[in-house]
Amino acid sequence: MKNEIKIFEQSKIRSLYDEKKEKWYFSVVDVIVVLTEKDYQTARKYWNKLAQRLREEGANETVTNCHRLKMSAPDGKMRETDCADAETMLRIVQSVPSPKAEPVKQWLARTGYERMKEMADPSTAIDRARETYRKLGRSEKWIQQRMMGQETRNKLTDYWKEHEITKDEEFAILTNIIHQEWSGLTVKEHKQLKGLKSQNLRDPMSEAELIFTALAELSTRTIAQSKNATGLEENKKAGVEGGKVAKRARIDFEKQTNEKVVTGTNFLLKNSKNK
């Protein structure tokens, strides 16, 4: 399953897409937050009472069809969360008296339609990602760099998959080697610097951090290809060399500009400014 944050107006709704079932699942509490216009804890209590009322009224199917799926909680930790697919969520929305009910219904229907369009034309997924970043206040320059960086990352992971890197922990090991080599920090340390828990490290990065991350991964893939690196140990060596290319460029950049590339600035925060 793929975790995503979807945006309804200015509210974030945690979502999961199940590739096997081809279904979106949405955090029930997040939708209740939108409908009731209350804070998260109040909305959670509202949902608990609503679920109890639905059971008492005989609408057990609606509650039963909710699934406990792991999503990033407000404290950043992955926790089991009540989730529902679009059909079940529509039933829940109908049970909440709210002026937001109709717009939320339309949003749920549109989400399913957008996924069908993405399957027919993958470029629409890129367009949707761009629009999400715009709603989060990212500049066009930042968005372009984020998209280019993701493409570079995908080409690297594709190479790894084709050269005997198959386990998630191996992808994580190689990613960490590259990152630590160019930045001087492990992925975990860089996340801690930015005050992150489980979020994607790239989303709060500055433009410069994105550029040097992409340079390190591009260099790693090019070096690996030149040596036909296969398996974990050979790709580790390519990762070190690729990271060093970006490290040398970072050091030179910092000397010339007198600015640090790796910082604790979190570009996810509302009060942060894009560079």
Side-chain angles (χ1 to χ4, degrees), residues 7-264:
I7 307 297
F8 173 80
E9 295 179 351
Q10 297 302 312
S11 300
K12 296 179 181 180
I13 297 177
R14 291 167 296 166
S15 310
L16 280 171
Y17 186 72
D18 189 323
E19 297 284 352
K20 293 181 180 179
K21 296 182 179 179
E22 296 185 354
K23 277 188 177 184
W24 278 109
Y25 290 90
F26 307 91
S27 164
V28 176
V29 175
D30 289 359
V31 174
I32 297 293
V33 167
V34 173
L35 293 170
T36 62
E37 300 182 271
K38 302 292 185 181
D39 61 72
Y40 182 85
Q41 291 302 329
T42 302
R44 186 169 62 82
K45 292 176 183 177
Y46 185 102
W47 164 236
N48 289 338
K49 291 180 180 178
L50 176 60
Q52 182 60 38
R53 177 166 65 82
L54 290 172
R55 291 189 188 96
E56 292 171 355
E57 292 175 354
N60 289 341
E61 184 180 353
T62 299
V63 180
T64 303
N65 286 342
C66 291
H67 301 268
R68 299 284 289 174
L69 303 175
K70 283 194 174 182
M71 288 183 165
S72 178
D75 62 4
K77 295 181 180 179
M78 297 299 288
R79 300 184 187 281
E80 287 193 341
T81 304
D82 283 342
C83 298
D85 62 19
E87 183 179 355
T88 302
M89 190 62 76
L90 284 170
R91 294 197 188 102
I92 293 171
V93 171
Q94 289 173 346
S95 302
V96 180
S98 168
K100 297 273 189 179
E102 194 57 37
V104 169
K105 289 179 187 178
Q106 294 174 3
W107 179 83
L108 287 167
R110 189 167 60 249
T111 297
Y113 173 66
E114 286 173 351
R115 180 58 189 175
M116 286 189 290
K117 286 199 300 181
E118 288 169 13
M119 293 173 70
D121 181 6
S123 67
T124 59
I126 297 173
D127 293 338
R128 183 168 59 83
R130 287 180 181 275
E131 185 58 30
T132 297
Y133 286 131
R134 288 190 188 105
K135 289 179 179 178
L136 290 172
R138 302 298 197 279
S139 69
E140 291 299 322
K141 186 168 64 172
W142 186 95
I143 293 171
Q144 181 64 18
Q145 190 55 54
R146 180 71 174 86
M147 296 291 100
M148 291 176 64
Q150 190 60 52
E151 183 179 356
T152 300
R153 170 68 180 178
N154 291 344
K155 288 180 179 178
L156 175 60
T157 56
D158 285 345
Y159 177 86
W160 286 341
K161 291 174 186 175
E162 294 167 1
H163 290 78
E164 299 182 10
I165 303 299
T166 57
K167 299 177 181 178
D168 289 345
E169 55 265 35
E170 291 178 336
F171 280 86
I173 288 169
L174 293 174
T175 299
N176 202 54
I177 286 172
I178 298 167
H179 197 85
Q180 185 168 16
E181 196 61 46
W182 85 258
S183 70
L185 297 174
T186 64
V187 171
K188 182 178 180 180
E189 289 169 343
H190 201 165
K191 282 187 173 185
Q192 289 174 340
L193 183 65
K194 289 186 178 292
L196 302 177
K197 299 289 185 176
S198 61
Q199 299 96 324
N200 189 318
L201 176 58
R202 294 170 197 246
D203 284 342
M205 280 185 173
S206 67
E207 184 186 1
E209 286 173 308
L210 287 172
I211 288 171
F212 283 98
T213 298
L215 175 59
E217 293 184 334
L218 172 63
S219 301
T220 295
R221 176 168 58 86
T222 304
I223 292 168
Q225 288 173 331
S226 69
K227 298 180 178 181
N228 193 31
T230 302
L232 183 60
E233 293 307 315
E234 291 183 7
N235 276 290
K236 278 183 180 179
K237 294 177 182 177
V240 169
E241 294 306 313
K244 283 181 178 178
V245 171
K247 178 182 179 180
R248 290 192 291 268
R250 174 181 63 79
I251 292 172
D252 190 44
F253 175 88
E254 290 176 339
K255 284 181 179 178
Q256 295 296 326
T257 64
N258 201 31
E259 291 184 5
K260 288 290 185 182
V261 172
V262 179
T263 73

Side-chain angles (χ1 to χ4, degrees), residues 268-273:
L268 283 176
L269 299 178
K270 291 181 180 180
N271 295 330
S272 294
K273 294 181 179 179

